[in-house]
Amino acid sequence: MSRKVADLLWEMLVKAGVKRCYGIVGDALNPVIDALRRNGAIEFIHVRHEEYGVLAAVAEAYLTGNPVVVCGTAGPGVVHLFNGLMDARKEAAPIIAIAGDVESSVMDTSSLEELNPYKFFETASLYTARLVNPGQARAVIHTAILTAVLEKGPTVISIPGDVASADAAEQSTEFTIAAPPVLRPSDADLHKLVQMIDEAKTVAIFGGEGCRDGRDEVVELARRLRAPVGYSFRGKQWLEHDNPNAVGMTGLLGYGGAYSAIHEADLLLLLGTDFPFSEFLPGASVKKVQIDKNPKHIGRRTAVDLGLVGDIKTTVTALLRAVREKTDEHFLKKQLGHTNSFHNLLQHYVEKGPEIKPIRPEFLAATLSELASDDAMFFADTGTACIWLARHIKGGRDRRLFGSFSWASMANAAPNAFGAQLAYPGRQSIALCGDGGFTMLGMGDLLTQVERRTPVVQIILNNESLDFVNIEQQEAGIVPFGVGFKNPNFATVAEAMGAKGIRIEEPGDVREGLAEALAYTDGPVVVDAVVDPFALAMPSHAPFHTVKGFTLSFAKQVLSGRMDSVITTIARNVRLI
Ligand SMILES: Cc1ncc(C[n+]2csc(CCOP(=O)(O)OP(=O)(O)O)c2C)c(N)n1
């Protein structure tokens, strides 16, 4: 049989390092998937919902750095990919989507399941191509691969079945993928920066995902400058562990002394971060320097005094050769002091946890962190799970923490953990799921995990509400509405689906239940943890509007006859119990 366009596609994807393709087949994709079968080098992961497949692929691609393929058939199957591709775009994960397209003979005639891929994917995709002629194949596939890998994000190849099964005879499949280039600011700019650092009495560092490869250099710079180090959610896993200068996060999930450190320093170094909450960043009273390899990040969240383009590892290495060591530890000690006091506050519900029912999520998360292995991978659903992950799950050199941190889609954790487990079999892969998130997307594809006996631990924060929104509404000063729902016993449901189910209602059973879940390696586990829906989580720095909003909401709730829930919320959050 002669080589088809679809054969060429998989040959090139294999050369790009693709190990898996997640999706649902049919229609236009049938010849594509037939070629995948013939090729044999890429594992096909048949999921029950395309979005689940993409969110799994995002975790795999983010963690490994390798491109991952997803696929959906024409029209609706392709539409289901979209939210996941937005996630890939925001989380910078190299994903190549193969979108089935209508036959080329009926294109642009509003035929069944037809959509315009250029328009549809415009927001999500870094590069979208419609393969309508076999002659385009090599160039299109090549561009989709290189764009995904080098620009780190999703690309889309829209392909009709007739083109997939057309002859691709002579086309070459050879290409190379360059390693990321070394990028640092000019000598003149570096010199300016060194001067600013040397002149500043106190320096604080705030880092993000860009510190992934330059972690040791940033920690060394902080030591040299006696600088406290705060971080974004994405920066936490690189900058918190084994760093004596770590002072926590700022923003809505904030804890520790990060907020005061970055507001009280003479000079703030923003390193590899696009932290989006401008209101938590200091204004003109603090001098700011931002370094990022992506020029678009520089100065967009807050005005900076100096903006430099460079990767963090290379730039900080150059800085380390030039900056003078500081000796005054006063500022650093003060910020570490704030961090310690906040830590003690956070420990309250962890220490009291064994006695408090319903189970406090702080206690659940801290116990999980303690029991999980040193190379465990944790994923948090968008919702309150993020708060508990940020505050109570400890990172480590080999631990990984991931979620839909920049796109903030619900229901990401279970598919993330599934993709991670496929990429790293043998490591613990743990999803902290919201009950809203798990029932939105996680439940159907629990069957996929069961079928493959993938040992993913999903812990459901069963609070019978969209709790994050509940908190959000109160913060905005309104009466919580549209946030409550009823749940089944998830452990029983899981067992009926062929997974292991563990229900934890008693605080005294938390440790044993989690240990049992982590020890189970014969397939997926669902831990149904009945937690306190009234657990609030205020940031270490609560802006005035937050405090005002809660006060207003409490007043409105009292006036509308909900005195009981106001009293419970207050009682359970001001340490009365
Ligand atoms: C797909 C999607 N829909 C809606 C939202 C808005 N949203 C953010 S968090 C949240 C509530 C999450 O509830 P749940 O999964 O039960 O977790 P909890 O906050 O209760 O822990 C909602 C509705 C979103 N981010 N993504």
Side-chain angles (χ1 to χ4, degrees), residues 76 234 259 268 336 357 389 399 493 515 520 553 574:
R234 302 191 84 202
Y259 184 88
L268 170 62
L336 290 173
K357 189 175 175 182
L389 181 89
R399 278 191 172 182
V493 173
Y520 187 75
S553 173
V574 293

Side-chain angles (χ1 to χ4, degrees), residues 384 410 435-437 463-471 482-485:
T384 63
M410 275 173 75
D435 44 6
N463 50 27
E464 298 208 310
S465 74
L466 303 173
D467 203 24
F468 195 80
V469 177
N470 174 37
I471 298 173
V483 289
F485 49 78

Side-chain angles (χ1 to χ4, degrees), residues 290-324:
Q290 187 168 3
I291 308 172
D292 204 296
K293 66 179 174 198
N294 184 344
K296 290 191 186 116
H297 292 175
I298 293 173
R300 78 168 158 191
R301 309 298 181 192
T302 182
V304 295
D305 299 273
L306 182 66
L308 304 180
V309 179
D311 66 72
I312 299 305
K313 188 181 177 75
T314 320
T315 310
V316 174
T317 302
L319 267 184
L320 283 170
R321 284 196 288 267
V323 286
R324 261 203 314 268

Side-chain angles (χ1 to χ4, degrees), residues 42-275:
I42 289 179
E43 188 184 9
F44 180 63
I45 312 293
H46 172 188
V47 288
R48 307 293 177 113
H49 193 303
E50 294 87 347
E51 183 176 327
Y52 191 95
V54 189
L55 291 169
V58 168
E60 176 178 344
Y62 169 82
L63 292 168
T64 63
N66 293 331
V68 182
V69 171
V70 298
C71 67
T73 68
V78 165
V79 168
H80 271 188
L81 299 173
F82 188 79
N83 190 45
L85 293 182
M86 281 305 300
D87 194 63
R89 173 87 187 239
K90 297 287 183 162
E91 305 304 328
I95 299 287
I96 299 149
I98 302 173
D101 207 337
V102 295
E103 295 283 296
S104 54
S105 57
V106 295
M107 227 169 241
D108 294 329
T109 64
S110 193
S111 58
L112 184 79
E113 295 197 332
E114 180 172 11
L115 60 69
N116 179 334
Y118 297 117
K119 278 193 181 167
F120 182 71
F121 287 111
E122 196 181 5
T123 326
S125 172
L126 295 172
Y127 167 76
T128 304
R130 207 168 196 182
L131 239 177
V132 291
N133 184 314
Q136 292 167 278
R138 192 204 67 82
V140 158
I141 300 162
H142 180 258
T143 311
I145 291 171
L146 258 68
T147 307
V149 175
L150 298 180
E151 294 182 26
K152 293 197 191 305
T155 57
V156 178
I157 301 171
S158 187
I159 182 165
D162 57 307
V163 179
S165 44
D167 241 7
E170 298 301 314
Q171 303 188 41
S172 158
T173 56
E174 293 309 315
F175 64 95
T176 55
I177 299 178
V182 174
L183 191 66
R184 76 158 176 82
S186 71
D187 287 342
D189 277 349
L190 268 179
H191 182 67
K192 255 190 241 165
L193 174 56
V194 171
Q195 260 185 342
M196 285 173 84
I197 293 175
D198 287 346
E199 279 164 18
K201 197 154 167 279
T202 56
V203 179
I205 291 174
F206 187 78
E209 173 68 16
C211 297
R212 184 175 182 161
D213 297 321
R215 177 218 124 80
D216 290 345
E217 290 76 7
V218 174
V219 171
E220 172 57 15
L221 181 69
R223 191 200 62 76
R224 203 72 76 90
L225 301 180
R226 309 296 188 258
V229 181
Y231 23 85
S232 67
F233 207 174
R234 302 191 84 202
K236 170 183 158 90
Q237 66 178 321
W238 313 122
L239 298 176
E240 186 163 77
H241 69 87
D242 306 310
N243 177 4
N245 293 20
V247 291
M249 288 169 53
T250 183
L252 293 170
L253 311 179
Y255 60 92
Y259 184 88
S260 59
I262 65 177
H263 282 77
E264 291 170 15
D266 291 342
L267 177 68
L268 170 62
L269 305 179
L270 294 157
L271 304 181
T273 178
D274 189 31
F275 179 75

Side-chain angles (χ1 to χ4, degrees), residues 335-351:
Q335 306 308 334
L336 290 173
H338 287 319
T339 309
N340 268 338
S341 329
F342 196 80
H343 176 74
N344 294 339
L345 209 66
L346 283 185
Q347 284 304 101
H348 174 79
Y349 285 110
V350 175
E351 282 158 14

